[in-house]
Amino acid sequence: MIQAQEIEIKQKGYVEILIDPTLDLFEEIKKIKKQKNAVVLAHYYQESDIQDIAEYIGDSLGLAREAQKTDAEIIVFAGVHFMAETAKILNPSRKILLPDLNAGCSLSDSCPPALFKKFKEKHSDHLIISYINCSAEIKALSDVICTSSNAKKIVESFPKEQPLIFAPDKNLGAYINKITGRSMLLWNGTCMVHEIFSLEKISKLKTRYPTAKLIAHPECEEKILSIADMVGSTTELLKFSQSDSGGTYIVATESGILHQMIKNSPQKTFIPAPPNNSCACNDCPHMKLNTLEKIYTCLVNEKPEILMEETIRVAAKKPIERMLEISNQAGV
Ligand code: 13P
Ligand code: SF4
């Protein structure tokens, strides 16, 4: 049985079991979490039902902090692989489950460790700041990690004369270069969701809704960020949508965040920014691999579990802890 499960996880990335269609998954998940002392930590890009059953919903920084401090035995990470890996790095005594192991990230994939190691060797006088959207191996090669919430503060914690490499997101790196006046060397990676927003379609929307504000995640391209009314991490975009006096927002990030925006400000209108293709959904195909059914089966089976080599974990922990330290000091 165990063997068959392992084969299935390797092939599919998750365990498939027949679920009684009459089961109330919301109730079952609640029950099993209590029995097993488990929590669900979810990113804002998860589907609405998953956000609704989570103990904590947040951005990458909030999720890392939450994973570090939880005393639950089991953490079900409703997000993507690098996020669950970060939780394991910070809290190795906990069982970290990812409902579908195939939930990767195009940014993380754009930075293969062997190539990055060569790049690092070529620029040995540079220190390395890596965006948290990267593998444990890349983290282990970095001096400090950052998220979109604290990237500016992390960069500014280095003296201006210090040569820096920023990896793997070239859009976030270019944005931080612009707002800090730095000239960090950028790795050529992008997010498949944020790089396809259409300037032309957004401009048309702005004409149609002249009072609408464009709010954008810094993983978007420069042409989108340069016309945005506000640029920020998912948490910052959400907070802005609550506190701002406007009524209509064009949201240039993954569609999952709209669930919290609408929940918190039901009187306001949120329009997903249109991408350059025929799909109008802005879904991250990796984030959306997680489903309520997979959360249930992974809680039942306690698999798929995130495991990693201890040497990589220890090396990757240092730059993440440095990030948390700088971030706490800066009040982010
Ligand atoms: P934040 O939620 O930290 O802004 O990150 C967005 C993202 O792309 C996560 O994959
Ligand atoms: Fe990666 Fe982009 Fe998906 Fe975030 S939205 S997980 S950066 S591919």
Side-chain angles (χ1 to χ4, degrees), residues 42 69 74 82 102 150 170 181 190 197 200 239 248 272 294:
K69 71 176 189 213
I74 296 176
F82 76 81
N102 292 320
N150 60 24
K170 69 170 179 188
T190 54
F197 290 117
E200 199 189 328
K239 281 190 182 152
T248 306
K294 287 182 195 168

Side-chain angles (χ1 to χ4, degrees), residues 253-316:
T253 191
E254 212 269 359
S255 58
I257 188 79
L258 268 75
H259 180 54
Q260 295 302 323
M261 288 180 171
I262 295 165
K263 228 170 150 176
N264 291 325
S265 311
Q267 75 289 5
K268 296 186 178 180
T269 305
F270 297 100
I271 308 167
N276 250 328
N277 56 26
S278 52
C279 161
C281 60
N282 304 340
D283 280 350
C284 168
H286 302 290
M287 286 279 182
K288 295 307 198 267
L289 279 178
N290 295 325
T291 60
L292 215 52
E293 285 76 10
K294 287 182 195 168
I295 302 241
Y296 171 71
T297 49
C298 95
L299 271 166
V300 171
N301 289 289
E302 298 186 21
K303 285 188 175 81
E305 186 182 353
I306 299 289
L307 298 166
M308 86 185 66
E309 244 184 71
E310 187 59 7
T311 43
I312 297 277
R313 190 192 70 76
V314 172

Side-chain angles (χ1 to χ4, degrees), residues 12-62:
K12 288 191 170 156
Y14 57 93
V15 186
E16 199 167 47
I17 54 170
L18 277 180
I19 301 177
D20 175 355
T22 62
L23 268 189
D24 179 343
L25 283 182
F26 289 91
E27 276 311 309
E28 290 304 313
I29 289 172
K30 205 194 274 177
K31 247 194 275 174
I32 202 164
K33 279 192 297 191
K34 203 168 165 201
Q35 269 166 21
K36 296 194 173 189
N37 186 18
V39 287
V40 175
L41 306 185
H43 188 265
Y44 289 124
Y45 295 166
Q46 292 295 288
E47 62 177 46
S48 313
D49 283 350
I50 296 179
Q51 294 188 35
D52 291 345
I53 55 109
E55 272 62 37
Y56 177 84
I57 320 160
D59 66 2
S60 310
L61 180 61

Side-chain angles (χ1 to χ4, degrees), residues 43-45 58-61 80 82-83 131 133 147-149 194 217 219 233-235 287:
H43 188 265
Y44 289 124
Y45 295 166
D59 66 2
S60 310
L61 180 61
V80 291
F82 76 81
M83 294 177 170
Y131 188 34
N133 300 33
T147 73
S148 51
S149 286
H194 290 87
H217 195 278
E219 285 173 20
S233 67
T234 49
T235 298
M287 286 279 182

Side-chain angles (χ1 to χ4, degrees), residues 144-184:
V144 64
I145 303 303
C146 73
T147 73
S148 51
S149 286
N150 60 24
K152 181 171 180 279
K153 293 282 184 204
I154 299 285
V155 171
E156 283 172 339
S157 73
F158 291 91
K160 273 212 149 100
E161 338 54 83
Q162 172 61 54
L164 295 168
I165 286 173
F166 189 91
D169 188 3
K170 69 170 179 188
N171 290 327
L172 175 62
Y175 174 70
I176 301 293
N177 270 345
K178 188 175 166 186
I179 61 172
T180 59
R182 304 282 174 123
S183 46
M184 296 183 292

